[in-house]
Amino acid sequence: GDSVTQMEGPVTLSEEAFLTINCTYTATGYPSLFWYVQYPGEGLQLLLKATKADDKGSNKGFEATYRKETTSFHLEKGSVQVSDSAVYFCALGDSNYQLIWGAGTKLIIKP
Amino acid sequence: NAGVTQTPKFQVLKTGQSMTLQCAQDMNHNSMYWYRQDPGMGLRLIYYSASEGTTDKGEVPNGYNVSRLNKREFSLRLESAAPSQTSVYFCASSENPGRVSPLHFGNGTRLTVT
């Protein structure tokens, strides 16, 4: 079946460092791909998405490109801030209602 | 705007007790969802409601029931709680199917079953 694999955390970086959180997927069809973010004590919220191969999603300085050839959707940001500390989830949408979620990657940014 | 409101925020149950988790959204969304979040496992869909009047099983429905009371409200019931149901439960809603529209989440209910 479909699945999503994310790099294990926590990922600890200093402020202004470059961020990459890896996400790879397996799917039989042509899924949409998402990154959601969960700040402490809150529910998840959509960060960005891409619906077809080579699409780039972007929001709040974060970017991810849908790479069909490597089945990847890695999240990147050029210069992280303390306020980016959160848990990041990669997700795959193959059917209309059932998203497949990665395990989440906790990001800690130190000042 | 309140968005998605879940009650209660915390709950402790003994094995065999029952309870209902409440969820309401004020965004006029068509679809609503119940997820559970366990460490290292991401989110797993328990039940969803594509539209008012319909409900369907997700990945892990055993031990749960749901009711889509109206367009705003979607409740989750545990008839006989078990320790394996200790988890954080999230309700979410979306205007259109989750593949197309973003999901909006509540802040979660942390449930402990002893």
Side-chain angles (χ1 to χ4, degrees):
Chain A
D2 295 354
S3 66
V4 173
T5 302
Q6 288 181 237
M7 62 190 294
E8 285 192 28
V11 173
T12 304
L13 296 171
S14 297
E15 206 165 19
E16 300 184 1
F18 184 87
L19 168 71
T20 301
I21 299 178
N22 290 338
C23 172
T24 57
Y25 68 90
T26 58
T28 53
Y30 300 93
S32 296
L33 298 172
F34 308 85
W35 278 102
Y36 278 77
V37 59
Q38 182 180 28
Y39 298 104
E42 299 183 6
L44 285 72
Q45 55 186 276
L46 180 67
L47 181 60
L48 53 84
K49 72 174 186 180
T51 57
K52 62 183 187 297
D54 299 324
D55 266 2
K56 177 185 282 189
S58 61
N59 187 24
K60 299 182 181 180
F62 290 90
E63 293 183 341
T65 301
Y66 188 164
R67 303 276 189 206
K68 196 170 189 308
E69 64 276 12
T70 55
T71 61
S72 65
F73 192 55
H74 303 323
L75 183 68
E76 297 181 336
K77 187 175 185 183
S79 176
V80 293
Q81 306 300 314
V82 172
S83 57
D84 293 326
S85 297
V87 181
Y88 293 81
F89 290 89
C90 185
L92 175 161
D94 201 1
S95 73
N96 275 337
Y97 294 100
Q98 302 207 36
L99 298 184
I100 307 299
W101 298 83
T105 302
K106 185 173 185 178
L107 174 65
I108 300 169
I109 307 299
K110 296 189 172 180
Chain B
N1 284 342
V4 179
T5 303
Q6 290 184 237
T7 55
K9 287 184 168 50
F10 301 94
Q11 184 71 49
V12 178
L13 291 178
K14 294 187 188 307
T15 297
Q17 287 185 320
S18 62
M19 78 162 295
T20 300
L21 281 65
Q22 307 287 353
C23 175
Q25 53 93 5
D26 62 2
M27 296 172 283
N28 202 36
H29 283 171
N30 293 309
S31 305
M32 298 186 74
Y33 312 79
W34 276 106
Y35 284 94
R36 60 179 288 173
Q37 183 181 29
D38 301 293
M41 299 188 71
L43 276 74
R44 292 183 291 169
L45 183 64
I46 304 171
Y47 272 92
Y48 66 96
S49 171
S51 59
E52 185 180 357
T54 70
T55 60
D56 285 285
K57 295 178 181 179
E59 182 185 356
V60 288
N62 290 345
Y64 305 95
N65 284 299
V66 291
S67 295
R68 183 77 182 265
L69 304 169
N70 47 55
K71 193 170 186 180
R72 290 187 63 245
E73 298 173 287
F74 189 40
S75 62
L76 178 72
R77 183 159 178 84
L78 287 70
E79 289 292 351
S80 179
S84 60
Q85 294 178 305
T86 293
S87 188
V88 180
Y89 291 85
F90 286 99
C91 177
S93 70
S94 64
E95 184 174 6
N96 293 304
R99 180 179 180 170
V100 177
S101 297
L103 270 62
H104 295 257
F105 285 81
N107 286 344
T109 295
R110 186 174 294 275
L111 174 67
T112 302
V113 183
T114 61

